[in-house]
Amino acid sequence: MTTTAAPRPTSVSKSSLRERFSEVRHTSLRITEGLSPEDQILQSMPEASPTKWHLAHTTWFFETFILLPHLPSYKPFDARYKYLFNSYYKQLGAHPYRGSRGLMSRPSLQQVHAYRDYVERALLTFFDEAGDDVLELIELGLNHEQQHQELILTDIKHALWSSPLRAECDCLPEPATPAARLSWIDIEGGIYSIGREGSGFAFDNEGPRHEVLLQPFRMASRPITNAEYLEFMQDGGYRRPELWLSDGWDTICAQHCEAPLYWEHRNDGSWWQFAMNGIKPLNPAEPVCHVSFYEVDAYARWSGARLPAEAEWEVAAARMPSRGTFLEDFAFHPQVARGEGHQQMFGDVWEWTASPYIAYPGFQPAAGLIGEYNGKFMCNQMVLRGGSCATPSSHIRASYRNFFPPQARWQFSGIRLAR
Ligand SMILES: [Fe+2]
């Protein structure tokens, strides 16, 4: 996700924010500690960034938006980093081309870790004298870093999958547990309010809160499974143009797509899937993952259902607040939905909605630099909701709007249907 947001009043005390600062910064290192320095420089496509770049850029954010403008005595760790680790803030001047981040053999990983330590020490010292405006920016910086934690995982998964020496999983065979039965939850029509609520942190694109009119609808109790998606494939799903949007059909033809990303068809007819711990047999009961908006849209049409609008998803999430797998579970893979009733509204897989990523009525980006975080991306992207197995659990809420271009498949994105 490329998001960022304008700050708003912070709701947490200084001491709990300080604790959260240390916890979030530590988590970024913990999810990367099993990767070699060579792994951490890989960039497998322009949309995905190297782990080392993510570790430096999240630190650059604290240095650029907090320490340099608010602490006159602060000396930058390296003045060149202002340019080097700027992602897309045009008001700060030039920045490297996104697709060339994998060429940054320098600074070394060791130097990036030293940069992290240096900025952390400066910020922790600054905490005591920080006013509310700075605390709001620190909270924003932590949410920004959590977004990049998910990107670290999705990007390294793509890089490791792209390696000629793709690992085989040495894990034990998984038990053949069936997924929970799919049922439909009725939601009555009416006027509902959606958007950020309360005093907790939210990105600017989640507001203003506003009313929407919804017709009665039904929401699927859980995400679609691999087995259900295989039925679509076996019914010629990828060969039937009548099921696809025009752009979607052109995209799958150009890219020769015949299955979700990371799936592999072997000569004996079996399907395998690349997971974070290597290639393993496809588990039919797991939620289907790494599908584009186009694939999800075609699947929905084939099944006789549709995708929810983002407002429907948010209203349903209030009725079905079920939580599944998050980053803290360290599975980095969606898990089988078990039990009765609604499942995995939050966690496991991001759920594509039918809604384009546009501004809510009355949306105003923040003034200045930080206004570049969100608003300028409101074009040619679709909204996803609910978080995934790579999302920190403290980072997701019902009003959270993630967004990606409709052809994107390397995020942990799946399908929840509506009717
Ligand atoms: Fe960023």
Side-chain angles (χ1 to χ4, degrees):
M1 73 197 90
T2 33
T3 76
T4 304
R8 58 198 296 262
T10 183
S11 57
V12 292
S13 70
K14 199 175 268 193
S15 64
S16 67
L17 192 63
R18 180 194 277 268
E19 234 170 73
R20 186 164 142 72
F21 178 78
S22 299
E23 185 271 312
V24 170
R25 296 286 290 175
H26 175 70
T27 298
S28 300
L29 294 183
R30 203 171 152 214
I31 61 174
T32 59
E33 66 192 4
L35 300 169
S36 69
E38 291 82 3
D39 291 334
Q40 297 197 39
I41 198 176
L42 287 172
Q43 182 173 34
S44 51
M45 58 178 175
E47 296 85 350
S49 299
T51 302
K52 185 175 75 173
W53 182 88
H54 287 296
L55 292 176
H57 164 72
T58 47
T59 305
W60 168 93
F61 192 94
F62 288 108
E63 184 176 64
T64 303
F65 290 105
I66 297 167
L67 294 173
L68 285 168
H70 294 95
L71 185 59
S73 61
Y74 179 77
K75 299 273 181 299
F77 179 81
D78 185 323
R80 297 170 299 176
Y81 289 9
K82 179 187 171 190
Y83 159 79
L84 199 59
F85 296 119
N86 178 6
S87 50
Y88 54 66
Y89 292 86
K90 308 298 181 192
Q91 294 174 73
L92 279 175
H95 57 78
Y97 164 60
R98 188 182 186 188
S100 69
R101 291 172 186 166
L103 300 176
M104 295 180 194
S105 58
R106 299 164 195 173
S108 67
L109 181 62
Q110 203 178 9
Q111 284 169 311
V112 165
H113 282 171
Y115 177 41
R116 287 181 67 87
D117 287 345
Y118 180 87
V119 167
E120 274 170 32
R121 274 200 306 274
L123 206 78
L124 284 169
T125 309
F126 185 38
F127 246 99
D128 290 335
E129 52 184 285
D132 283 349
D133 55 337
V134 170
L135 297 181
E136 287 164 20
L137 285 166
I138 292 173
E139 196 170 13
L140 175 63
L142 292 175
N143 279 275
H144 172 253
E145 182 140 353
Q146 287 186 307
Q147 290 184 318
H148 279 275
Q149 287 169 356
E150 175 146 11
L151 293 173
I152 285 172
L153 295 167
T154 56
D155 294 358
I156 194 65
K157 181 173 181 180
H158 191 267
L160 295 175
W161 172 76
S162 302
S163 166
L165 262 189
R166 201 177 289 168
E168 293 271 342
C169 180
D170 57 4
C171 38
L172 297 168
E174 292 169 1
T177 319
R181 190 177 59 86
L182 192 149
S183 58
W184 295 89
I185 316 286
D186 286 305
I187 315 265
E188 62 271 28
I191 295 173
Y192 292 92
S193 290
I194 65 160
R196 67 186 181 196
E197 193 177 20
S199 58
F201 177 86
F203 287 111
D204 61 354
N205 63 7
E206 296 169 55
R209 193 165 174 82
H210 62 284
E211 291 184 337
V212 292
L213 172 63
L214 299 182
Q215 303 302 318
F217 66 100
R218 308 178 88 190
M219 190 68 111
S221 59
R222 60 153 170 78
I224 292 302
T225 62
N226 289 329
E228 288 159 344
Y229 197 80
L230 268 168
E231 286 176 38
F232 160 73
M233 290 166 56
Q234 285 157 358
D235 195 34
Y238 281 87
R239 299 189 301 276
R240 293 169 52 183
E242 72 273 18
L243 296 173
W244 294 78
L245 291 168
S246 173
D247 283 353
W249 182 251
D250 290 348
T251 302
I252 62 160
C253 290
Q255 297 179 355
H256 308 289
C257 288
E258 295 175 338
L261 183 65
Y262 303 136
W263 283 30
E264 188 181 305
H265 201 203
R266 298 212 166 157
N267 288 337
D268 63 0
S270 61
W271 282 97
W272 292 61
Q273 181 184 34
F274 183 75
M276 204 66 98
N277 52 0
I279 299 177
K280 59 184 185 178
L282 189 76
N283 182 338
E286 286 171 359
V288 66
C289 190
H290 298 296
V291 277
S292 69
F293 170 80
Y294 295 136
E295 288 168 302
V296 168
D297 175 79
Y299 177 87
R301 191 166 295 109
W302 170 82
S303 72
R306 64 176 176 83
L307 297 185
E310 64 168 321
E312 291 175 325
W313 191 97
E314 190 168 325
V315 167
R319 308 285 179 88
M320 311 160 55
S322 46
R323 296 176 77 81
T325 313
F326 290 99
L327 177 146
E328 292 80 0
D329 296 298
F330 280 77
F332 308 141
H333 193 76
Q335 303 296 300
V336 177
R338 294 196 172 88
E340 283 302 304
H342 52 80
Q343 307 280 338
Q344 300 175 333
M345 204 67 187
F346 295 95
D348 291 282
V349 288
W350 286 100
E351 298 172 6
W352 286 103
T353 72
S355 299
Y357 177 54
I358 56 174
Y360 281 167
F363 169 76
Q364 284 290 338
L369 259 185
I370 210 74
E372 289 195 47
Y373 203 133
N374 258 330
K376 71 180 186 180
F377 299 108
M378 290 175 170
C379 181
N380 298 333
Q381 313 214 52
M382 303 301 289
V383 172
L384 301 97
R385 294 297 196 112
S388 80
C389 54
T391 307
S393 62
S394 65
H395 187 65
I396 196 69
R397 55 198 160 263
S399 62
Y400 196 108
R401 306 173 79 200
N402 195 2
F403 52 89
F404 277 98
Q407 71 277 12
R409 308 209 295 169
W410 90 108
Q411 295 301 305
F412 288 94
S413 49
I415 313 174
R416 186 183 299 266
L417 297 176
R419 278 181 172 162

